[in-house]
Amino acid sequence: MLDLIRLDHLLIIIPPGSKKAARKFYAEILLLKEVPGGHPRGAIWFEMADIQIHLREEEGHKTTSDRHPAFVVAKLEAAINFLKQRAIQISYSSEINGRERCFFRDPWGNRYELIEYKEK
């Protein structure tokens, strides 16, 4: 049995030569805190809630995948407004009972989902 405790981090792939632009998007636009240090394989790390997002340049990056992490937010409408104020396009998908949700992509096509659970 796997005795899992929590998710620690996600590795997100960006195209080669994108690190400077990734810092701008994740730190200056999304306002995430960068984790300083010399990280393995040249990755840059950011804190998002209680996990980290590790960004690493890699050949073969794909921009049309539906793969994504999903983050629970306290107020989805506020999160949507925050993203729209930064000219980040929001998309929607099928409905799920008990949840409101939306999606956005970073400049390299990596997809993220934001979820707010409805009160019962």
Side-chain angles (χ1 to χ4, degrees):
M1 176 175 99
L2 293 175
D3 191 12
L4 302 175
I5 297 171
R6 70 177 185 89
L7 179 64
D8 180 75
H9 71 272
L10 302 166
L11 175 64
I12 304 295
I13 303 302
I14 57 176
S18 307
K19 205 180 288 188
K20 183 177 179 181
R23 277 194 166 98
K24 180 174 179 61
F25 181 78
Y26 285 89
E28 296 177 24
I29 295 175
L30 293 185
L31 302 178
L32 301 181
K33 180 181 173 192
E34 184 172 350
V35 178
H39 305 296
R41 299 177 68 186
I44 51 177
W45 297 4
F46 292 92
E47 293 179 351
M48 183 178 262
D50 65 344
I51 66 167
Q52 293 178 350
I53 293 182
H54 298 179
L55 300 169
R56 188 175 70 211
E57 296 176 329
E58 191 173 292
E59 292 291 341
H61 176 267
K62 192 173 182 182
T63 62
T64 58
S65 175
D66 280 344
R67 291 175 300 191
H68 64 274
F71 294 92
V72 176
V73 295
K75 296 180 180 176
L76 183 61
E77 195 61 38
I80 289 170
N81 289 335
F82 175 86
L83 294 171
K84 284 182 175 179
Q85 289 171 358
R86 287 152 176 79
I88 297 171
Q89 186 176 356
I90 305 299
S91 65
Y92 300 89
S93 185
S94 57
E95 292 187 21
I96 299 176
N97 285 338
R99 301 177 200 183
E100 295 288 336
R101 65 189 186 136
C102 72
F103 297 88
F104 71 95
R105 291 183 186 267
D106 71 8
W108 304 276
N110 294 305
R111 188 177 191 221
Y112 295 92
E113 181 177 0
L114 302 177
I115 298 172
E116 179 181 354
Y117 283 88
K118 298 178 185 177
E119 293 187 29
K120 295 180 181 184

